[in-house]
Amino acid sequence: GVGSISAVMGYGGRSPRWLMSRRQCEASKQGGFTLFELIVVIAVVVLVIYAGLPHFEKTLHEANATAVSLNGRALIDGVRAAKTMQMLDGRSGAIYNLPRFGDDTLDLSAAGFPAGTSRKPGDSLTAGHCDEIWQAITEPNPEQRGQAAQKQFAATVSNAGKNAICHYAYLRDGQMAITYNPATGEVKIYSGPG
């Protein structure tokens, strides 16, 4: 048959196209996409991405707002817990190394609110103190400090003197932040509209 002729004539076991039927010839063509088919597929993918982008951005914003709100609530609860520990201790005024709170290194301001872990009498509030407050309140276990939550926020100090306020900017969304006033214990959460 055809196979034996092709082997004898040196076609390497394959029949030349002129010896194959039309069906065999079409089946032997290499499969692939035409340029038009590739353009259509790319256009469909782009449309799907474009249609889903607003939903993705909204979901991402909501997730960031939730993260800021939860961290703000943790700070509020920690500030209240520290103030309660001071009252249970029967002391008033500044306390250095509040006992039975985290690792016993939290310092309280004259008003009885968290003020750092290395702050000395007369020290002005610094971003370092704000970091210490954040870590002592939201990460009371020293082994956990600096792992996840701290990397989500950058601490700075706004105002000066007795009006100094810790400002924790959320790094994933520059419009979201938490502020804390060590003189009053007030925590404000800025997690976007709504």
Side-chain angles (χ1 to χ4, degrees), residues 44-88:
V44 168
V45 169
V46 167
L47 285 174
V48 167
I49 290 171
Y50 184 73
L53 193 59
H55 178 69
F56 175 74
E57 287 176 350
K58 180 182 176 195
T59 302
L60 183 61
H61 178 78
E62 289 172 356
N64 287 334
T66 299
V68 171
S69 294
L70 290 174
N71 279 284
R73 292 297 315 164
L75 186 60
I76 289 169
D77 292 343
V79 168
R80 287 180 182 162
K83 180 69 173 171
T84 301
M85 290 301 294
Q86 179 208 34
M87 291 173 16
L88 289 173

Short mmCIF file of all heavy atoms in Angstrom, two decimals, residues 44-88:
data_model
loop_
_atom_site.label_atom_id
_atom_site.label_comp_id
_atom_site.label_asym_id
_atom_site.label_seq_id
_atom_site.Cartn_x
_atom_site.Cartn_y
_atom_site.Cartn_z
N VAL A 44 -11.87 39.43 25.23
CA VAL A 44 -12.83 38.92 26.23
C VAL A 44 -12.20 38.96 27.62
O VAL A 44 -12.84 39.38 28.59
CB VAL A 44 -13.30 37.49 25.86
CG1 VAL A 44 -14.03 36.85 27.01
CG2 VAL A 44 -14.16 37.53 24.61
N VAL A 45 -10.94 38.56 27.74
CA VAL A 45 -10.26 38.59 29.04
C VAL A 45 -10.17 40.02 29.56
O VAL A 45 -10.43 40.29 30.74
CB VAL A 45 -8.86 37.94 28.94
CG1 VAL A 45 -8.04 38.20 30.18
CG2 VAL A 45 -9.00 36.44 28.70
N VAL A 46 -9.82 40.96 28.69
CA VAL A 46 -9.72 42.37 29.10
C VAL A 46 -11.08 42.88 29.56
O VAL A 46 -11.18 43.59 30.57
CB VAL A 46 -9.15 43.23 27.95
CG1 VAL A 46 -9.33 44.71 28.22
CG2 VAL A 46 -7.68 42.90 27.73
N LEU A 47 -12.14 42.55 28.86
CA LEU A 47 -13.48 42.98 29.26
C LEU A 47 -13.88 42.42 30.61
O LEU A 47 -14.47 43.12 31.44
CB LEU A 47 -14.51 42.59 28.20
CG LEU A 47 -14.49 43.43 26.92
CD1 LEU A 47 -15.45 42.85 25.89
CD2 LEU A 47 -14.85 44.87 27.23
N VAL A 48 -13.57 41.16 30.87
CA VAL A 48 -13.89 40.55 32.16
C VAL A 48 -13.13 41.24 33.28
O VAL A 48 -13.69 41.56 34.33
CB VAL A 48 -13.59 39.03 32.13
CG1 VAL A 48 -13.62 38.43 33.52
CG2 VAL A 48 -14.57 38.31 31.21
N ILE A 49 -11.85 41.51 33.06
CA ILE A 49 -11.05 42.22 34.08
C ILE A 49 -11.60 43.62 34.29
O ILE A 49 -11.76 44.07 35.43
CB ILE A 49 -9.57 42.26 33.66
CG1 ILE A 49 -8.97 40.85 33.75
CG2 ILE A 49 -8.77 43.23 34.52
CD1 ILE A 49 -7.57 40.75 33.16
N TYR A 50 -11.88 44.33 33.22
CA TYR A 50 -12.39 45.70 33.32
C TYR A 50 -13.73 45.74 34.05
O TYR A 50 -13.97 46.62 34.86
CB TYR A 50 -12.52 46.30 31.92
CG TYR A 50 -12.96 47.74 31.92
CD1 TYR A 50 -12.09 48.74 32.30
CD2 TYR A 50 -14.26 48.10 31.56
CE1 TYR A 50 -12.48 50.07 32.31
CE2 TYR A 50 -14.66 49.42 31.57
CZ TYR A 50 -13.77 50.40 31.95
OH TYR A 50 -14.17 51.70 31.96
N ALA A 51 -14.59 44.77 33.80
CA ALA A 51 -15.90 44.73 34.46
C ALA A 51 -15.76 44.42 35.94
O ALA A 51 -16.53 44.91 36.77
CB ALA A 51 -16.79 43.69 33.78
N GLY A 52 -14.78 43.62 36.33
CA GLY A 52 -14.63 43.23 37.73
C GLY A 52 -13.80 44.18 38.56
O GLY A 52 -13.81 44.12 39.79
N LEU A 53 -13.07 45.10 37.93
CA LEU A 53 -12.18 46.00 38.66
C LEU A 53 -12.89 46.88 39.68
O LEU A 53 -12.43 46.98 40.82
CB LEU A 53 -11.38 46.84 37.67
CG LEU A 53 -10.19 47.60 38.24
CD1 LEU A 53 -9.20 46.63 38.88
CD2 LEU A 53 -9.50 48.39 37.14
N PRO A 54 -14.00 47.53 39.36
CA PRO A 54 -14.67 48.36 40.38
C PRO A 54 -15.11 47.54 41.60
O PRO A 54 -14.99 47.99 42.74
CB PRO A 54 -15.88 48.95 39.65
CG PRO A 54 -15.51 48.91 38.22
CD PRO A 54 -14.64 47.69 38.06
N HIS A 55 -15.59 46.34 41.37
CA HIS A 55 -16.00 45.49 42.49
C HIS A 55 -14.80 45.11 43.34
O HIS A 55 -14.86 45.11 44.56
CB HIS A 55 -16.71 44.24 41.97
CG HIS A 55 -17.13 43.30 43.06
ND1 HIS A 55 -18.13 43.61 43.94
CD2 HIS A 55 -16.66 42.08 43.42
CE1 HIS A 55 -18.27 42.62 44.80
NE2 HIS A 55 -17.38 41.67 44.50
N PHE A 56 -13.68 44.81 42.68
CA PHE A 56 -12.46 44.46 43.41
C PHE A 56 -11.97 45.63 44.24
O PHE A 56 -11.59 45.47 45.40
CB PHE A 56 -11.37 44.02 42.42
CG PHE A 56 -10.04 43.76 43.07
CD1 PHE A 56 -9.84 42.62 43.83
CD2 PHE A 56 -9.01 44.67 42.95
CE1 PHE A 56 -8.62 42.38 44.44
CE2 PHE A 56 -7.79 44.45 43.56
CZ PHE A 56 -7.59 43.29 44.30
N GLU A 57 -11.97 46.85 43.67
CA GLU A 57 -11.54 48.04 44.40
C GLU A 57 -12.43 48.30 45.61
O GLU A 57 -11.96 48.65 46.68
CB GLU A 57 -11.50 49.25 43.48
CG GLU A 57 -10.37 49.22 42.49
CD GLU A 57 -10.39 50.39 41.52
OE1 GLU A 57 -11.40 51.13 41.48
OE2 GLU A 57 -9.40 50.56 40.79
N LYS A 58 -13.73 48.13 45.44
CA LYS A 58 -14.67 48.33 46.55
C LYS A 58 -14.41 47.31 47.65
O LYS A 58 -14.37 47.65 48.83
CB LYS A 58 -16.11 48.22 46.05
CG LYS A 58 -17.13 48.43 47.14
CD LYS A 58 -18.55 48.27 46.62
CE LYS A 58 -19.53 48.39 47.78
NZ LYS A 58 -20.83 47.92 47.43
N THR A 59 -14.22 46.06 47.26
CA THR A 59 -13.96 45.00 48.25
C THR A 59 -12.65 45.26 48.97
O THR A 59 -12.57 45.08 50.19
CB THR A 59 -13.91 43.63 47.53
OG1 THR A 59 -15.16 43.43 46.87
CG2 THR A 59 -13.67 42.51 48.51
N LEU A 60 -11.62 45.69 48.25
CA LEU A 60 -10.33 46.00 48.87
C LEU A 60 -10.47 47.16 49.86
O LEU A 60 -9.93 47.11 50.98
CB LEU A 60 -9.30 46.34 47.79
CG LEU A 60 -7.89 46.62 48.26
CD1 LEU A 60 -7.30 45.41 48.97
CD2 LEU A 60 -7.02 47.02 47.08
N HIS A 61 -11.22 48.20 49.48
CA HIS A 61 -11.44 49.34 50.38
C HIS A 61 -12.17 48.89 51.65
O HIS A 61 -11.81 49.28 52.76
CB HIS A 61 -12.22 50.44 49.68
CG HIS A 61 -12.51 51.61 50.56
ND1 HIS A 61 -11.56 52.57 50.85
CD2 HIS A 61 -13.62 51.97 51.26
CE1 HIS A 61 -12.07 53.46 51.68
NE2 HIS A 61 -13.32 53.13 51.93
N GLU A 62 -13.19 48.05 51.48
CA GLU A 62 -13.95 47.55 52.65
C GLU A 62 -13.05 46.71 53.56
O GLU A 62 -13.15 46.80 54.79
CB GLU A 62 -15.16 46.75 52.19
CG GLU A 62 -16.25 47.61 51.57
CD GLU A 62 -17.37 46.79 50.93
OE1 GLU A 62 -17.28 45.54 50.89
OE2 GLU A 62 -18.33 47.42 50.44
N ALA A 63 -12.19 45.89 52.98
CA ALA A 63 -11.27 45.07 53.79
C ALA A 63 -10.30 45.96 54.56
O ALA A 63 -10.04 45.72 55.75
CB ALA A 63 -10.52 44.10 52.89
N ASN A 64 -9.77 46.99 53.91
CA ASN A 64 -8.87 47.92 54.60
C ASN A 64 -9.59 48.66 55.72
O ASN A 64 -9.05 48.84 56.82
CB ASN A 64 -8.26 48.91 53.61
CG ASN A 64 -7.23 48.27 52.71
OD1 ASN A 64 -6.61 47.28 53.07
ND2 ASN A 64 -7.04 48.83 51.54
N ALA A 65 -10.82 49.12 55.45
CA ALA A 65 -11.59 49.83 56.47
C ALA A 65 -11.86 48.92 57.67
O ALA A 65 -11.79 49.36 58.83
CB ALA A 65 -12.91 50.34 55.88
N THR A 66 -12.15 47.66 57.41
CA THR A 66 -12.38 46.70 58.48
C THR A 66 -11.11 46.50 59.31
O THR A 66 -11.16 46.47 60.54
CB THR A 66 -12.87 45.35 57.92
OG1 THR A 66 -14.11 45.58 57.22
CG2 THR A 66 -13.08 44.33 59.01
N ALA A 67 -9.96 46.38 58.64
CA ALA A 67 -8.69 46.21 59.36
C ALA A 67 -8.40 47.41 60.26
O ALA A 67 -8.00 47.24 61.42
CB ALA A 67 -7.55 46.00 58.36
N VAL A 68 -8.62 48.60 59.74
CA VAL A 68 -8.38 49.80 60.55
C VAL A 68 -9.35 49.86 61.73
O VAL A 68 -8.95 50.13 62.87
CB VAL A 68 -8.48 51.08 59.68
CG1 VAL A 68 -8.45 52.34 60.54
CG2 VAL A 68 -7.36 51.10 58.66
N SER A 69 -10.61 49.58 61.49
CA SER A 69 -11.61 49.61 62.56
C SER A 69 -11.30 48.59 63.65
O SER A 69 -11.39 48.90 64.84
CB SER A 69 -13.01 49.34 62.00
OG SER A 69 -13.40 50.40 61.16
N LEU A 70 -10.92 47.38 63.26
CA LEU A 70 -10.60 46.34 64.25
C LEU A 70 -9.37 46.72 65.08
O LEU A 70 -9.36 46.52 66.30
CB LEU A 70 -10.40 44.99 63.56
CG LEU A 70 -11.66 44.35 62.99
CD1 LEU A 70 -11.31 43.10 62.20
CD2 LEU A 70 -12.66 44.02 64.09
N ASN A 71 -8.35 47.25 64.41
CA ASN A 71 -7.16 47.67 65.16
C ASN A 71 -7.48 48.85 66.07
O ASN A 71 -6.97 48.94 67.19
CB ASN A 71 -6.02 48.01 64.19
CG ASN A 71 -5.29 46.79 63.71
OD1 ASN A 71 -4.50 46.21 64.44
ND2 ASN A 71 -5.57 46.36 62.50
N GLY A 72 -8.33 49.77 65.60
CA GLY A 72 -8.75 50.89 66.44
C GLY A 72 -9.52 50.42 67.66
O GLY A 72 -9.32 50.92 68.77
N ARG A 73 -10.41 49.45 67.46
CA ARG A 73 -11.17 48.89 68.60
C ARG A 73 -10.23 48.20 69.58
O ARG A 73 -10.41 48.29 70.80
CB ARG A 73 -12.23 47.90 68.11
CG ARG A 73 -13.38 48.49 67.33
CD ARG A 73 -14.24 49.48 68.07
NE ARG A 73 -14.61 49.06 69.40
CZ ARG A 73 -15.10 49.85 70.34
NH1 ARG A 73 -15.30 51.12 70.07
NH2 ARG A 73 -15.42 49.41 71.53
N ALA A 74 -9.22 47.51 69.07
CA ALA A 74 -8.25 46.86 69.96
C ALA A 74 -7.50 47.89 70.79
O ALA A 74 -7.25 47.69 71.98
CB ALA A 74 -7.27 46.02 69.14
N LEU A 75 -7.16 49.02 70.16
CA LEU A 75 -6.48 50.09 70.89
C LEU A 75 -7.40 50.68 71.96
O LEU A 75 -6.99 50.90 73.10
CB LEU A 75 -6.00 51.17 69.93
CG LEU A 75 -5.14 52.28 70.52
CD1 LEU A 75 -3.87 51.72 71.15
CD2 LEU A 75 -4.78 53.31 69.45
N ILE A 76 -8.65 50.93 71.60
CA ILE A 76 -9.63 51.45 72.57
C ILE A 76 -9.76 50.50 73.76
O ILE A 76 -9.71 50.92 74.92
CB ILE A 76 -11.01 51.67 71.89
CG1 ILE A 76 -10.95 52.84 70.92
CG2 ILE A 76 -12.11 51.88 72.94
CD1 ILE A 76 -12.17 52.97 70.01
N ASP A 77 -9.93 49.22 73.47
CA ASP A 77 -10.09 48.23 74.55
C ASP A 77 -8.85 48.15 75.42
O ASP A 77 -8.94 48.04 76.64
CB ASP A 77 -10.42 46.85 73.97
CG ASP A 77 -11.79 46.79 73.32
OD1 ASP A 77 -12.63 47.70 73.58
OD2 ASP A 77 -12.03 45.85 72.53
N GLY A 78 -7.66 48.23 74.81
CA GLY A 78 -6.42 48.20 75.57
C GLY A 78 -6.25 49.42 76.46
O GLY A 78 -5.79 49.31 77.61
N VAL A 79 -6.61 50.59 75.93
CA VAL A 79 -6.52 51.82 76.73
C VAL A 79 -7.45 51.71 77.94
O VAL A 79 -7.07 52.03 79.07
CB VAL A 79 -6.86 53.05 75.87
CG1 VAL A 79 -7.07 54.29 76.73
CG2 VAL A 79 -5.76 53.29 74.84
N ARG A 80 -8.65 51.23 77.71
CA ARG A 80 -9.61 51.06 78.82
C ARG A 80 -9.10 50.04 79.84
O ARG A 80 -9.24 50.23 81.05
CB ARG A 80 -10.97 50.62 78.29
CG ARG A 80 -11.72 51.72 77.58
CD ARG A 80 -13.04 51.24 77.06
NE ARG A 80 -13.74 52.30 76.34
CZ ARG A 80 -14.73 52.10 75.51
NH1 ARG A 80 -15.17 50.88 75.28
NH2 ARG A 80 -15.29 53.13 74.90
N ALA A 81 -8.52 48.97 79.35
CA ALA A 81 -8.01 47.93 80.26
C ALA A 81 -6.87 48.48 81.12
O ALA A 81 -6.80 48.21 82.33
CB ALA A 81 -7.55 46.72 79.47
N ALA A 82 -5.98 49.26 80.52
CA ALA A 82 -4.87 49.84 81.28
C ALA A 82 -5.40 50.81 82.34
O ALA A 82 -4.94 50.80 83.49
CB ALA A 82 -3.90 50.55 80.34
N LYS A 83 -6.36 51.65 81.97
CA LYS A 83 -6.95 52.59 82.93
C LYS A 83 -7.64 51.83 84.07
O LYS A 83 -7.52 52.20 85.25
CB LYS A 83 -7.96 53.50 82.20
CG LYS A 83 -8.64 54.52 83.09
CD LYS A 83 -7.69 55.58 83.56
CE LYS A 83 -8.42 56.68 84.30
NZ LYS A 83 -7.54 57.62 84.94
N THR A 84 -8.32 50.74 83.73
CA THR A 84 -8.98 49.91 84.75
C THR A 84 -7.95 49.30 85.69
O THR A 84 -8.16 49.26 86.91
CB THR A 84 -9.83 48.81 84.08
OG1 THR A 84 -10.79 49.43 83.24
CG2 THR A 84 -10.52 47.94 85.11
N MET A 85 -6.82 48.83 85.14
CA MET A 85 -5.76 48.26 85.99
C MET A 85 -5.22 49.31 86.95
O MET A 85 -4.95 49.01 88.12
CB MET A 85 -4.62 47.71 85.12
CG MET A 85 -4.97 46.46 84.33
SD MET A 85 -5.50 45.07 85.36
CE MET A 85 -4.02 44.71 86.24
N GLN A 86 -5.09 50.55 86.49
CA GLN A 86 -4.62 51.61 87.36
C GLN A 86 -5.61 51.84 88.50
O GLN A 86 -5.22 51.97 89.66
CB GLN A 86 -4.42 52.91 86.58
CG GLN A 86 -3.95 54.06 87.46
CD GLN A 86 -4.36 55.42 86.97
OE1 GLN A 86 -5.45 55.57 86.40
NE2 GLN A 86 -3.52 56.41 87.20
N MET A 87 -6.88 51.87 88.17
CA MET A 87 -7.90 52.10 89.19
C MET A 87 -7.97 50.93 90.17
O MET A 87 -8.12 51.13 91.38
CB MET A 87 -9.26 52.34 88.53
CG MET A 87 -9.29 53.67 87.79
SD MET A 87 -10.74 54.07 86.77
CE MET A 87 -12.01 53.02 87.23
N LEU A 88 -7.83 49.70 89.67
CA LEU A 88 -7.85 48.52 90.55
C LEU A 88 -6.64 48.51 91.47
O LEU A 88 -6.71 47.98 92.59
CB LEU A 88 -7.89 47.23 89.73
CG LEU A 88 -9.21 46.94 89.01
CD1 LEU A 88 -9.07 45.72 88.11
CD2 LEU A 88 -10.34 46.75 90.01
#
